[in-house]
Amino acid sequence: MYRSGNVRLANTIFKCFYTYLMFYVTISASQNVTSDASASVEPQQPSLASVREVVELTVPVALRPNDINDYREIVLQPYSNTRIHLSNYSKNAGDQVGYALVQLHAFEYNVTLSYNSSIVDGGHLSGQNVGLLMYGDGDLYAFNLNTHQPVWVSLVLMLYNRSAPVPGGCNLEFPVEISPVLNLTLTPEIIIVDTPAAAVAKPFQGTPNACGKARLEYESYYYIMPTHDFSQRAYFAAINKLISYANAKVQGRQNALHAPLLLNRHTYGRLTGRGMVFVTAVIDPVHRGFALYVPTHTYSCKPFIEPAGCYGLNIPYRVLAIILTIIAVLEVIMGYLPLVVKCSASLGFLAVVGTVEALNTLDKPLAHEWLITCLVGGAIVGAVVGLLLGLYAPVAGKIFCSMLTGYMICLTLFGMINGNFYTLRNVSWYIALGGVLIGAVLNITLPIILITRSVIFGTVFIFYGVNTIVGARLDYPLRHFVRRLYVENYERVHSDPALDENDFVALAAFAIIMLVALFLRSRYQSDEVQGDYSRFDIPCQRGPANGDDEDRIERSTVIAADDTAAYQRFVNEQPIITRWTNGDDDVFESPESNSRFYRLLKRNARR
């Protein structure tokens, strides 16, 4: 009994120990699983308050009213809240300062500027170019809500005198009651800049905010950045070009165009590969005060997302332009295209020009589908008419070809001189009249200097082909010509005609290609050069006298001594006698026999 009781006691102790051991193992395993699971969970973002920094803007003793009084560039760390403290306002500003405008300009990313240490509705503005007004010492807060990206920003302190109007004091666009920022909208074709209404200075506000009764004036300025310069330094430098009224007057350009009935809306044409800065100055002529809104900036492309679009690197368009340029160069050198092809192409494009002018009389924007349908239909009709003229009335076809060339020359010159030439009254008639005059001059002079329409026809395609290859803006007048059909109030769009380095490269390349092509045409062309007419018999076309093909003896750029056609044109188709000398022998023959004799000598020389 005693031994059996001991055995039972030992078994009981062992079972208790085993149970405790298994319980301990189970608890330990569950704790490890829990710790592993908690370790695998991504840590939460730190609170904005925990990473707050302080930047101080100081009102100087020798303050400069209506100008920059403090400027610095800093980096906002990822997901941070930076406190901006304005100091010495009450000490140094005195009675001569009406308010301070603190501006925050961010490079590439958006930031938020707030009156409160946390983002509250109606107390903050977000964007790349923001600013808020302050009337004394205090704090603003700059938020960088990008979780992984630090943002370079510039802080600017502007002080305005007591008579300066309040920019954005009567705005209805932004949540903050006084929002001195511009509303910029970027569309595929244009840039729209809206200026919120301003209020008169506080000392002159009889009503709560004097909105709707102030006689304020607005001036809009813009600055164009260098081509293909998307650097941070260029960005901040461009902002500073328009930061003050004096800088805007000297280094900016004023845009006096505005949308009908919307005096504070200004539109601009997009410049591929460039950035633009805009600012609006509000002037109170009664109390002689002025102030500037916060300058705003945009690129006309996406340099940090699609850089190829900023350089005009559209591969399909460039390949097509290269092919057309090669064909046009061969046309200039060889003149191999028959007249029916040239007439069809010229009349087709001339019909497109007429269709655009006809649709423009409707005076309303058209949908892209309707516009493409009308233009394609006009081109087809014009091509058919050109084909018929080339077959049955080649002289009329050549005249229309010259008129179209003159029209394109006038259109390009108008666009290079004045980017907004459609604001001129009846400018379409002036361009058409200039095209007719230039076409008439070409019809008269081309036969004399022996440059056929092969040269003119090829030159037009070379000009636009080289422009597309280089990525220049020389074709802008042509695009400007069509955009007014589908962009509302496009005649009010401000377009800068200034040429950049890409345009000069395109012009230089065009000049070099034409010089080489003309040299090859005059030096290495074959004996039988096809000119304005086709080598095939064309119905209703009078053949040349004496059975000789006029084009087979015509030279392109130099009047040869045996060129019968040139001699006859100089004397209005009257035959003349030429004198040839060979040593002591004088030979007097008619032009036709001279020409035949000279060709015979050349063939014998080759043998």
Side-chain angles (χ1 to χ4, degrees):
M1 290 293 294
Y2 182 77
R3 292 192 59 173
S4 63
N6 291 337
V7 171
R8 287 196 299 269
L9 179 62
N11 290 335
T12 303
I13 294 173
F14 178 78
K15 290 180 181 179
C16 291
F17 177 79
Y18 179 78
T19 303
Y20 175 79
L21 180 63
M22 295 302 297
F23 178 77
Y24 177 80
V25 171
T26 304
I27 293 298
S28 300
S30 63
Q31 288 179 350
N32 291 335
V33 171
T34 304
S35 62
D36 292 340
S38 62
S40 63
V41 176
E42 191 172 318
Q44 295 181 352
Q45 296 290 348
S47 64
L48 290 173
S50 64
V51 291
R52 181 181 299 172
E53 300 178 0
V54 179
V55 178
E56 186 171 347
L57 294 177
T58 304
V59 177
V61 177
L63 57 85
R64 298 182 296 274
N66 308 322
D67 203 351
I68 300 175
N69 284 265
D70 199 355
Y71 178 87
R72 60 192 64 197
E73 297 177 9
I74 61 174
V75 179
L76 300 183
Q77 297 301 324
Y79 206 71
S80 64
N81 176 5
T82 301
R83 183 164 64 95
I84 304 171
H85 179 67
L86 179 62
S87 61
N88 295 339
Y89 184 98
S90 57
K91 177 180 178 181
N92 298 328
D95 295 334
Q96 57 180 326
V97 176
Y99 58 87
L101 174 57
V102 178
Q103 302 183 15
L104 186 65
H105 302 280
F107 177 67
E108 190 177 354
Y109 297 94
N110 289 339
V111 293
T112 299
L113 187 63
S114 174
Y115 283 116
N116 307 300
S117 58
S118 59
I119 298 179
V120 180
D121 291 340
H124 70 278
L125 295 173
S126 297
Q128 283 187 275
N129 310 102
V130 293
L132 292 174
L133 267 64
M134 300 187 70
Y135 296 94
D137 297 335
D139 296 325
L140 295 176
Y141 299 89
F143 295 88
N144 176 17
L145 301 181
N146 299 280
T147 56
H148 303 289
Q149 182 62 50
V151 180
W152 274 95
V153 298
S154 66
L155 275 172
V156 185
L157 174 61
M158 303 290 296
L159 299 177
Y160 290 99
N161 56 31
R162 294 176 61 83
S163 63
V166 181
C170 298
N171 90 93
L172 299 176
E173 293 87 353
F174 300 99
V176 181
E177 182 180 358
I178 300 178
S179 300
V181 295
L182 302 176
N183 188 5
L184 187 144
T185 305
L186 184 64
T187 70
E189 304 294 344
I190 59 176
I191 302 171
I192 303 173
V193 180
D194 290 307
T195 303
V200 296
K202 276 192 171 183
F204 313 114
Q205 293 182 2
T207 56
N209 55 10
C211 293
K213 298 182 179 180
R215 292 183 295 175
L216 301 178
E217 300 175 356
Y218 298 86
E219 295 179 358
S220 180
Y221 295 89
Y222 70 97
Y223 174 79
I224 301 177
M225 297 176 61
T227 306
H228 301 151
D229 191 350
F230 309 117
S231 63
Q232 168 192 314
R233 178 50 48 201
Y235 171 79
F236 290 133
I239 294 291
N240 291 338
K241 298 287 186 182
L242 301 182
I243 202 72
S244 65
Y245 190 55
N247 288 358
K249 295 284 286 187
V250 174
Q251 304 188 59
R253 302 176 185 176
Q254 186 174 359
N255 176 17
L257 299 176
H258 57 80
L261 304 179
L262 295 174
L263 301 181
N264 289 349
R265 168 169 290 184
H266 298 82
T267 53
Y268 299 83
R270 296 180 61 167
L271 303 176
T272 303
R274 286 189 168 194
M276 298 183 71
V277 181
F278 311 94
V279 73
T280 299
V282 54
I283 303 170
D284 187 350
V286 177
H287 305 102
R288 298 184 179 182
F290 65 88
L292 263 69
Y293 287 73
V294 177
T296 187
H297 167 274
T298 186
Y299 293 111
S300 295
C301 53
K302 301 176 181 178
F304 309 111
I305 301 176
E306 300 175 2
C310 297
Y311 294 87
L313 300 178
N314 191 311
I315 302 301
Y317 283 168
R318 284 198 168 188
V319 172
L320 179 61
I322 292 174
I323 295 174
L324 291 179
T325 302
I326 293 174
I327 295 175
V329 170
L330 295 177
E331 169 65 13
V332 172
I333 297 174
M334 302 170 58
Y336 63 93
L337 291 177
L339 181 62
V340 290
V341 175
K342 300 173 190 175
C343 283
S344 299
S346 300
L347 267 295
F349 190 80
L350 195 61
V352 170
V353 171
T355 303
V356 171
E357 293 294 350
L359 294 176
N360 189 54
T361 58
L362 299 177
D363 198 22
K364 64 178 182 179
L366 301 176
H368 284 76
E369 295 78 9
W370 282 101
L371 180 60
I372 293 175
T373 301
C374 294
L375 294 183
V376 171
I380 293 175
V381 173
V384 172
V385 174
L387 178 63
L388 296 177
L389 290 179
L391 290 174
Y392 300 104
V395 176
K398 292 187 291 184
I399 292 175
F400 280 117
C401 180
S402 299
M403 300 299 178
L404 175 62
T405 304
Y407 186 89
M408 297 302 296
I409 292 175
C410 283
L411 186 66
T412 303
L413 291 179
F414 268 84
M416 290 183 177
I417 295 173
N418 184 357
N420 302 94
F421 57 91
Y422 281 111
T423 58
L424 304 176
R425 188 169 182 173
N426 299 324
V427 67
S428 297
W429 291 104
Y430 296 147
I431 297 176
L433 180 59
V436 172
L437 294 178
I438 295 178
V441 172
L442 291 176
N443 274 309
I444 296 173
T445 57
L446 288 183
I448 297 177
I449 62 177
L450 300 179
I451 295 181
T452 63
R453 284 160 185 82
S454 298
V455 176
I456 302 300
F457 187 81
T459 299
V460 174
F461 282 91
I462 292 175
F463 180 82
Y464 289 106
V466 170
N467 174 84
T468 303
I469 295 172
V470 177
R473 295 179 58 248
L474 297 177
D475 62 339
Y476 166 74
L478 189 60
R479 290 184 282 111
H480 190 61
F481 173 74
V482 179
R483 281 178 179 170
R484 56 193 177 133
L485 295 181
Y486 60 90
V487 177
E488 188 177 5
N489 298 320
Y490 193 72
E491 67 278 0
R492 300 284 183 172
V493 175
H494 184 81
S495 303
D496 197 292
L499 301 179
D500 58 17
E501 53 267 26
N502 273 17
D503 299 324
F504 287 110
V505 169
L507 288 174
F510 169 73
I512 293 173
I513 292 174
M514 287 305 303
L515 288 175
V516 174
L518 291 176
F519 172 77
L520 294 177
R521 179 181 176 90
S522 62
R523 180 66 180 84
Y524 297 108
Q525 63 184 4
S526 60
D527 288 340
E528 298 177 356
V529 178
Q530 185 176 358
D532 294 338
Y533 300 99
S534 171
R535 293 184 183 278
F536 302 100
D537 292 332
I538 298 178
C540 302
Q541 178 179 323
R542 182 178 60 86
N546 301 328
D548 238 332
D549 187 355
E550 183 182 357
D551 291 305
R552 293 172 181 259
I553 60 175
E554 184 175 347
R555 300 297 180 264
S556 59
T557 57
V558 180
I559 300 178
D562 66 311
D563 201 323
T564 305
Y567 288 132
Q568 290 182 351
R569 289 191 181 102
F570 274 114
V571 293
N572 297 323
E573 304 295 332
Q574 296 299 322
I576 61 174
I577 301 298
T578 58
R579 182 175 184 272
W580 288 77
T581 61
N582 186 12
D584 297 332
D585 299 329
D586 292 344
V587 180
F588 295 89
E589 292 187 355
S590 66
E592 288 81 0
S593 60
N594 277 342
S595 178
R596 290 191 297 270
F597 177 68
Y598 190 69
R599 287 200 299 271
L600 179 61
L601 289 179
K602 292 179 67 175
R603 284 195 292 269
N604 291 335
R606 291 196 182 100
R607 296 174 185 172

